[in-house]
Amino acid sequence: MKIIIAGAGEVGFHLAKLLSYESQEITLIDIDKESLAYADTHLDIRVIKGDTTSISILKEARVNNCDLFIAVTAIETTNITVCVLAKQLGAKRTIARISNTEFINYKDEVGFTKFGIDELISPEALAAAEIKLSLKQTSFNDTYEFEGGALTMVGLTLSSTASFVGKTVKEAAKIFPEIHFVPIAIQRFGAQYTIIPRGDTEFKRGDNVVFVTSEGGGEELCRLTGKSNREIKNVMILGGSQIGYKSARDLSEKGFKVKLFEADKERAFEIADDLPNVLVIHSDGRNVNLLDEENISDMDAFIAVAGNSETNIMSCLVAKSKGVEKTVALVENMDYFELSHSVGIETLINKKLLAANNIFRYIRKGEVVAMTKLNNMNAELLEFHVKSTSAICNKYIKDIDFPRSAIIGGVIRKGLGVIALGGFKIQEGDRVVVCSLLKSIKGVEKLFR
């Protein structure tokens, strides 16, 4: 697939890196020489220095033969403009990064596709949605919803109190036959490799396990693992960035009591005017004494979305020390993921990863409706739409020649999520959630074409 990325910032570079690993034909365009220099020397891609809105530059990038054009510069008007130009010049599909979420809310009414923009993505809006979901599923490290929660992916670390520690998947299934969840990926404590569980795979203490659950499955997992989904009412947010603002707005509209710290005076007053139901405090939220004065120990959740990853991590650790049970940190450095989990921060948000997940479904073959990469795991979770021509259609799961390092986590049929086992027959129109190691994705894609 021929892919052009306009913008070599953090999102653009991260996308270029991930896509280059997939042996895609990537061209990266940016006006900044330094941004391109590192990509040129470290990635197997083509780079072009120039204005992304320049027609001559787009022609030099061979936009007329482009399968996917992705505009992720820091300026949304540039992204919209260049996508329109790219489409007119022959690009098959275009995606524009935007920050104004009104564009997404009214995209059908405005008709962006008429202008030549096929998809709009907002990393900030994706991050805010991720935060809201993490507060809904408080017992789990990682969460992702398919079709509004018909199926949900949840991740947790098994303690010695988990009922199925020491048992194989098959043994656990016999003891708990009416369960509404299935394990789809395991990372052993201290190991870097990912296991796609089979019947003889044993659960061990310290395992980081990812499950797919249907309705009621989350509650069952909590009971069996000795965890509890705590009700969250009081939330403290560090940072009035776009993510902090969107999170505060969305949570307050849902009835949460929200306090938000913002160090910039003008920004603090602006947020206070826009969000009358949010208590906005003009101060540096890293001040431990101030956090005590604002009763941080009474908070159910602490969300750190300031501009610095280290500040966010340290602030969450302070919140932990004050008794806050649920902490969420925005981090830019992917290397911090494993470290932060080990010190007790439940949920980590990364804009680059969220944007990449949202875009990657257009790279995969077969009709991919949604996808996410599993944190710290060499695996992807994909939702495929089954067509009448798909090799998997009208077959029982047990009869499908499925790759060994991939597993069906569940099926959504007519809006209802099902944990589908061997005797389940796949039908046209089903949406099938699959977890696969990267090496097996091509084999999985063939089944859904």
Side-chain angles (χ1 to χ4, degrees), residues 155-173:
L156 54 82
T157 301
L158 297 183
S159 65
S160 56
T161 59
S163 303
F164 41 81
V165 165
K167 296 180 175 63
T168 64
V169 172
K170 187 180 293 184
E171 289 169 344

Side-chain angles (χ1 to χ4, degrees), residues 4 25 27 46 57-66:
I4 298 174
E25 188 178 323
T27 300
R46 178 186 179 210
I57 290 294
L58 293 176
K59 286 187 173 182
E60 183 184 343
R62 297 191 288 273
V63 71
N64 60 308
N65 293 320
C66 171

Side-chain angles (χ1 to χ4, degrees), residues 205-326:
R205 183 174 64 86
D207 280 353
N208 184 22
V209 187
V210 177
F211 297 87
V212 167
T213 71
S214 58
E215 186 177 356
E219 290 77 9
E220 290 174 352
L221 267 177
C222 287
R223 288 198 300 271
L224 296 174
T225 56
K227 297 179 181 292
S228 61
N229 251 334
R230 303 176 300 276
E231 184 180 6
I232 290 180
K233 294 181 179 179
N234 301 303
V235 179
M236 186 174 283
I237 299 176
L238 172 65
S241 62
Q242 289 190 56
I243 298 173
Y245 173 85
K246 288 180 173 63
S247 298
R249 181 196 62 195
D250 295 347
L251 293 173
S252 64
E253 288 175 353
K254 292 290 184 180
F256 291 84
K257 294 181 180 178
V258 181
K259 290 183 180 181
L260 184 147
F261 287 91
E262 171 53 45
D264 182 84
K265 184 176 181 179
E266 185 176 340
R267 178 63 174 164
F269 276 98
E270 182 182 320
I271 295 173
D273 288 339
D274 286 347
L275 306 177
N277 294 325
V278 174
L279 176 59
V280 180
I281 301 166
H282 168 226
S283 181
D284 189 339
R286 294 174 297 178
N287 186 318
V288 177
N289 291 331
L290 180 61
L291 292 176
D292 283 332
E293 289 176 14
E294 292 299 331
N295 302 316
I296 187 174
S297 58
D298 294 335
M299 295 295 116
D300 301 310
F302 183 88
I303 301 168
V305 288
N308 183 278
S309 298
E310 291 80 5
T311 295
N312 293 335
I313 290 172
M314 292 305 298
S315 299
C316 282
L317 293 179
V318 170
K320 272 290 179 187
S321 72
K322 300 295 181 180
V324 181
E325 293 194 37
K326 181 68 177 182

